[in-house]
Amino acid sequence: MDPVTTGAVVLAIAAVSSSAPLIAFATAPALAIAFWRNLIAVGLLGPFSLLRRRAELRALTRGAGRRQGTYCVLAGLALAVHFGTWMPSAQLTSVATATALVVTQPVWQALIALGQGRTLPVLGWVGIGVAVTGAIWAVGADFGVSGRAVLGDLLALAGGVAGAVYTALGERARTTISTVTYTTICYGVCALVLLAVCLVGGVRLTGFDTGTWLAVLGLVAGAQLLGHSMFNYALHRISATTISVLFLLEAPGAALIAWAWLGQAPPVAALPGLALLLAGVAIVLRGEARGWRTRRQGGGPGDAADPGRSGGGRGGPAGDRATGAGPPAAAPMPPEAGPAG
């Protein structure tokens, strides 16, 4: 990579790695943080969409465009589930464990691809086995900590699954829709769903201290916008598969920030499991890359595929996969321009 691309990748990793520590630091309920994070992002992106993409927005409400509009709405719902599960997990279990479990998104993406009738490479199955073993190990280690930590682990896994569904839906929506339009709709739907959940559940949305509001703004500026944008810039120089693997550095990056800033570290017994988990995800991504090269060499539909593109569709808002308008690839980042740290 050239120096500029290298700098962009380093900045992106640092930005998305800050997501979980910021969530853990904030004193507000995680669902409230998720709501404000998406609402502020819509406030920044919405005016541009209304000024420059009005025709595209109108097209999604009639005729053939309704199908793509429906995919956008469904993707927003999946994004709400992703944020609504992963962000609370960062406050219930350790930052390192929550981040490592949510970046299992490519594993679930591969299984979605299998359900869609696509062939999963042998290396992909090996990676899934290694990742699942690591996840069981990490969650099992938290049984000795507290039931609260185990609940956080399970929510983080659910966040990874929801992130994969979100990316799969985004893949279908992004076939004809621009990044900014797709992102605005997804964030808007996500914010409305989270607002409804907060109101029904009696979750407090205001009255937070200054540090918490700064943490929310840091999430928007860092993981939501800057992190994934830098990864998307790097896609002009390096493959989506490489980006996906680099995104795994969010887990150790978040762990280091949480240790240095919050004095927080995962249980020692969980560390081997977390290492296995990340290795398994990397193997899955490697298998997907090899499968793409094989299809391309053999000709046929695979010729049009993107490198590292997995079956269902970074971001991933990974961690936050949810975290920018990325390509509809099986990366731990969602295809929006902002989930995934």
mmCIF file of all heavy atoms in Angstrom, residues 81-106:
data_model
loop_
_atom_site.group_PDB
_atom_site.id
_atom_site.type_symbol
_atom_site.label_atom_id
_atom_site.label_comp_id
_atom_site.label_asym_id
_atom_site.label_seq_id
_atom_site.Cartn_x
_atom_site.Cartn_y
_atom_site.Cartn_z
ATOM 1 N N VAL A 81 -31.621 -3.911 15.016
ATOM 2 C CA VAL A 81 -31.383 -5.111 15.841
ATOM 3 C C VAL A 81 -29.891 -5.244 16.147
ATOM 4 O O VAL A 81 -29.499 -5.591 17.264
ATOM 5 C CB VAL A 81 -31.899 -6.376 15.129
ATOM 6 C CG1 VAL A 81 -31.553 -7.625 15.931
ATOM 7 C CG2 VAL A 81 -33.415 -6.294 14.925
ATOM 8 N N HIS A 82 -29.056 -4.967 15.136
ATOM 9 C CA HIS A 82 -27.611 -5.046 15.339
ATOM 10 C C HIS A 82 -27.165 -4.085 16.443
ATOM 11 O O HIS A 82 -26.502 -4.489 17.402
ATOM 12 C CB HIS A 82 -26.894 -4.707 14.031
ATOM 13 C CG HIS A 82 -25.427 -4.445 14.194
ATOM 14 N ND1 HIS A 82 -24.516 -5.447 14.446
ATOM 15 C CD2 HIS A 82 -24.717 -3.287 14.172
ATOM 16 C CE1 HIS A 82 -23.302 -4.921 14.569
ATOM 17 N NE2 HIS A 82 -23.400 -3.606 14.403
ATOM 18 N N PHE A 83 -27.532 -2.812 16.321
ATOM 19 C CA PHE A 83 -27.137 -1.831 17.327
ATOM 20 C C PHE A 83 -27.807 -2.122 18.676
ATOM 21 O O PHE A 83 -27.201 -1.915 19.732
ATOM 22 C CB PHE A 83 -27.510 -0.418 16.876
ATOM 23 C CG PHE A 83 -26.547 0.175 15.895
ATOM 24 C CD1 PHE A 83 -27.004 0.825 14.758
ATOM 25 C CD2 PHE A 83 -25.172 0.095 16.091
ATOM 26 C CE1 PHE A 83 -26.116 1.388 13.854
ATOM 27 C CE2 PHE A 83 -24.282 0.648 15.189
ATOM 28 C CZ PHE A 83 -24.747 1.293 14.067
ATOM 29 N N GLY A 84 -29.061 -2.589 18.615
ATOM 30 C CA GLY A 84 -29.804 -2.832 19.850
ATOM 31 C C GLY A 84 -29.315 -4.032 20.629
ATOM 32 O O GLY A 84 -29.690 -4.200 21.805
ATOM 33 N N THR A 85 -28.510 -4.871 20.019
ATOM 34 C CA THR A 85 -27.953 -6.023 20.736
ATOM 35 C C THR A 85 -26.469 -5.823 21.035
ATOM 36 O O THR A 85 -26.019 -6.048 22.158
ATOM 37 C CB THR A 85 -28.142 -7.319 19.928
ATOM 38 O OG1 THR A 85 -27.654 -7.126 18.590
ATOM 39 C CG2 THR A 85 -29.606 -7.716 19.870
ATOM 40 N N TRP A 86 -25.708 -5.384 20.028
ATOM 41 C CA TRP A 86 -24.272 -5.267 20.245
ATOM 42 C C TRP A 86 -23.906 -4.146 21.205
ATOM 43 O O TRP A 86 -23.049 -4.312 22.082
ATOM 44 C CB TRP A 86 -23.549 -5.049 18.913
ATOM 45 C CG TRP A 86 -22.081 -4.872 19.148
ATOM 46 C CD1 TRP A 86 -21.185 -5.841 19.504
ATOM 47 C CD2 TRP A 86 -21.357 -3.649 19.110
ATOM 48 N NE1 TRP A 86 -19.942 -5.286 19.675
ATOM 49 C CE2 TRP A 86 -20.010 -3.947 19.448
ATOM 50 C CE3 TRP A 86 -21.702 -2.339 18.822
ATOM 51 C CZ2 TRP A 86 -19.021 -2.979 19.500
ATOM 52 C CZ3 TRP A 86 -20.720 -1.364 18.866
ATOM 53 C CH2 TRP A 86 -19.392 -1.686 19.204
ATOM 54 N N MET A 87 -24.538 -2.987 21.072
ATOM 55 C CA MET A 87 -24.155 -1.856 21.923
ATOM 56 C C MET A 87 -24.426 -2.133 23.403
ATOM 57 O O MET A 87 -23.574 -1.824 24.254
ATOM 58 C CB MET A 87 -24.821 -0.569 21.441
ATOM 59 C CG MET A 87 -24.275 -0.119 20.082
ATOM 60 S SD MET A 87 -24.923 1.448 19.460
ATOM 61 C CE MET A 87 -24.182 2.612 20.597
ATOM 62 N N PRO A 88 -25.544 -2.742 23.786
ATOM 63 C CA PRO A 88 -25.694 -3.118 25.202
ATOM 64 C C PRO A 88 -24.657 -4.144 25.649
ATOM 65 O O PRO A 88 -24.236 -4.143 26.807
ATOM 66 C CB PRO A 88 -27.108 -3.707 25.267
ATOM 67 C CG PRO A 88 -27.835 -3.055 24.138
ATOM 68 C CD PRO A 88 -26.814 -2.918 23.051
ATOM 69 N N SER A 89 -24.224 -5.008 24.724
ATOM 70 C CA SER A 89 -23.249 -6.035 25.108
ATOM 71 C C SER A 89 -21.940 -5.420 25.569
ATOM 72 O O SER A 89 -21.261 -5.958 26.450
ATOM 73 C CB SER A 89 -22.996 -6.995 23.936
ATOM 74 O OG SER A 89 -22.133 -6.426 22.952
ATOM 75 N N ALA A 90 -21.577 -4.269 24.986
ATOM 76 C CA ALA A 90 -20.322 -3.620 25.362
ATOM 77 C C ALA A 90 -20.369 -3.070 26.778
ATOM 78 O O ALA A 90 -19.319 -2.775 27.362
ATOM 79 C CB ALA A 90 -20.004 -2.494 24.381
ATOM 80 N N GLN A 91 -21.579 -2.920 27.338
ATOM 81 C CA GLN A 91 -21.715 -2.451 28.710
ATOM 82 C C GLN A 91 -21.937 -3.590 29.694
ATOM 83 O O GLN A 91 -21.892 -3.390 30.909
ATOM 84 C CB GLN A 91 -22.874 -1.451 28.820
ATOM 85 C CG GLN A 91 -22.652 -0.161 28.038
ATOM 86 C CD GLN A 91 -23.786 0.829 28.194
ATOM 87 O OE1 GLN A 91 -24.919 0.461 28.522
ATOM 88 N NE2 GLN A 91 -23.503 2.112 27.963
ATOM 89 N N LEU A 92 -22.182 -4.806 29.159
ATOM 90 C CA LEU A 92 -22.464 -5.949 30.029
ATOM 91 C C LEU A 92 -21.266 -6.878 30.196
ATOM 92 O O LEU A 92 -21.056 -7.444 31.270
ATOM 93 C CB LEU A 92 -23.648 -6.747 29.469
ATOM 94 C CG LEU A 92 -24.995 -6.027 29.455
ATOM 95 C CD1 LEU A 92 -26.044 -6.854 28.730
ATOM 96 C CD2 LEU A 92 -25.455 -5.732 30.878
ATOM 97 N N THR A 93 -20.506 -7.062 29.133
ATOM 98 C CA THR A 93 -19.329 -7.908 29.193
ATOM 99 C C THR A 93 -18.104 -7.055 28.895
ATOM 100 O O THR A 93 -18.220 -5.845 28.718
ATOM 101 C CB THR A 93 -19.443 -9.077 28.192
ATOM 102 O OG1 THR A 93 -18.372 -9.999 28.401
ATOM 103 C CG2 THR A 93 -19.421 -8.589 26.751
ATOM 104 N N SER A 94 -16.929 -7.675 28.845
ATOM 105 C CA SER A 94 -15.728 -6.882 28.579
ATOM 106 C C SER A 94 -15.734 -6.375 27.142
ATOM 107 O O SER A 94 -16.317 -6.995 26.246
ATOM 108 C CB SER A 94 -14.474 -7.728 28.821
ATOM 109 O OG SER A 94 -14.341 -8.721 27.825
ATOM 110 N N VAL A 95 -15.103 -5.238 26.927
ATOM 111 C CA VAL A 95 -15.012 -4.652 25.598
ATOM 112 C C VAL A 95 -14.363 -5.624 24.623
ATOM 113 O O VAL A 95 -14.814 -5.800 23.487
ATOM 114 C CB VAL A 95 -14.227 -3.329 25.655
ATOM 115 C CG1 VAL A 95 -13.792 -2.886 24.261
ATOM 116 C CG2 VAL A 95 -15.075 -2.237 26.310
ATOM 117 N N ALA A 96 -13.297 -6.288 25.057
ATOM 118 C CA ALA A 96 -12.578 -7.209 24.179
ATOM 119 C C ALA A 96 -13.467 -8.360 23.730
ATOM 120 O O ALA A 96 -13.505 -8.720 22.547
ATOM 121 C CB ALA A 96 -11.340 -7.751 24.889
ATOM 122 N N THR A 97 -14.212 -8.953 24.671
ATOM 123 C CA THR A 97 -15.071 -10.086 24.331
ATOM 124 C C THR A 97 -16.225 -9.651 23.437
ATOM 125 O O THR A 97 -16.537 -10.315 22.443
ATOM 126 C CB THR A 97 -15.620 -10.738 25.607
ATOM 127 O OG1 THR A 97 -14.533 -11.121 26.449
ATOM 128 C CG2 THR A 97 -16.441 -11.978 25.273
ATOM 129 N N ALA A 98 -16.867 -8.532 23.762
ATOM 130 C CA ALA A 98 -17.994 -8.056 22.955
ATOM 131 C C ALA A 98 -17.564 -7.778 21.526
ATOM 132 O O ALA A 98 -18.250 -8.159 20.569
ATOM 133 C CB ALA A 98 -18.587 -6.792 23.583
ATOM 134 N N THR A 99 -16.417 -7.138 21.356
ATOM 135 C CA THR A 99 -15.949 -6.795 20.011
ATOM 136 C C THR A 99 -15.554 -8.037 19.232
ATOM 137 O O THR A 99 -15.867 -8.163 18.039
ATOM 138 C CB THR A 99 -14.750 -5.834 20.096
ATOM 139 O OG1 THR A 99 -15.085 -4.724 20.935
ATOM 140 C CG2 THR A 99 -14.382 -5.308 18.721
ATOM 141 N N ALA A 100 -14.879 -8.963 19.890
ATOM 142 C CA ALA A 100 -14.460 -10.186 19.198
ATOM 143 C C ALA A 100 -15.655 -11.024 18.755
ATOM 144 O O ALA A 100 -15.649 -11.610 17.672
ATOM 145 C CB ALA A 100 -13.545 -11.015 20.104
ATOM 146 N N LEU A 101 -16.697 -11.059 19.569
ATOM 147 C CA LEU A 101 -17.862 -11.872 19.224
ATOM 148 C C LEU A 101 -18.680 -11.233 18.106
ATOM 149 O O LEU A 101 -19.237 -11.928 17.250
ATOM 150 C CB LEU A 101 -18.738 -12.087 20.461
ATOM 151 C CG LEU A 101 -18.144 -13.022 21.519
ATOM 152 C CD1 LEU A 101 -19.000 -13.008 22.780
ATOM 153 C CD2 LEU A 101 -18.028 -14.442 20.985
ATOM 154 N N VAL A 102 -18.757 -9.902 18.084
ATOM 155 C CA VAL A 102 -19.577 -9.269 17.050
ATOM 156 C C VAL A 102 -18.892 -9.332 15.683
ATOM 157 O O VAL A 102 -19.575 -9.310 14.649
ATOM 158 C CB VAL A 102 -19.909 -7.816 17.432
ATOM 159 C CG1 VAL A 102 -18.763 -6.880 17.149
ATOM 160 C CG2 VAL A 102 -21.169 -7.331 16.715
ATOM 161 N N VAL A 103 -17.557 -9.415 15.638
ATOM 162 C CA VAL A 103 -16.896 -9.493 14.336
ATOM 163 C C VAL A 103 -16.966 -10.886 13.733
ATOM 164 O O VAL A 103 -16.315 -11.166 12.732
ATOM 165 C CB VAL A 103 -15.419 -9.027 14.397
ATOM 166 C CG1 VAL A 103 -15.315 -7.594 14.819
ATOM 167 C CG2 VAL A 103 -14.579 -9.925 15.295
ATOM 168 N N THR A 104 -17.783 -11.765 14.327
ATOM 169 C CA THR A 104 -18.058 -13.064 13.695
ATOM 170 C C THR A 104 -19.002 -12.901 12.512
ATOM 171 O O THR A 104 -19.390 -13.892 11.896
ATOM 172 C CB THR A 104 -18.694 -14.049 14.700
ATOM 173 O OG1 THR A 104 -19.890 -13.463 15.247
ATOM 174 C CG2 THR A 104 -17.730 -14.372 15.837
ATOM 175 N N GLN A 105 -19.374 -11.673 12.181
ATOM 176 C CA GLN A 105 -20.319 -11.447 11.087
ATOM 177 C C GLN A 105 -19.987 -12.214 9.809
ATOM 178 O O GLN A 105 -20.890 -12.789 9.181
ATOM 179 C CB GLN A 105 -20.421 -9.953 10.784
ATOM 180 C CG GLN A 105 -21.359 -9.635 9.631
ATOM 181 C CD GLN A 105 -21.480 -8.148 9.381
ATOM 182 O OE1 GLN A 105 -21.382 -7.357 10.317
ATOM 183 N NE2 GLN A 105 -21.690 -7.754 8.152
ATOM 184 N N PRO A 106 -18.727 -12.276 9.352
ATOM 185 C CA PRO A 106 -18.436 -13.035 8.123
ATOM 186 C C PRO A 106 -18.806 -14.506 8.224
ATOM 187 O O PRO A 106 -19.128 -15.138 7.211
ATOM 188 C CB PRO A 106 -16.918 -12.858 7.956
ATOM 189 C CG PRO A 106 -16.612 -11.582 8.661
ATOM 190 C CD PRO A 106 -17.530 -11.560 9.833
#
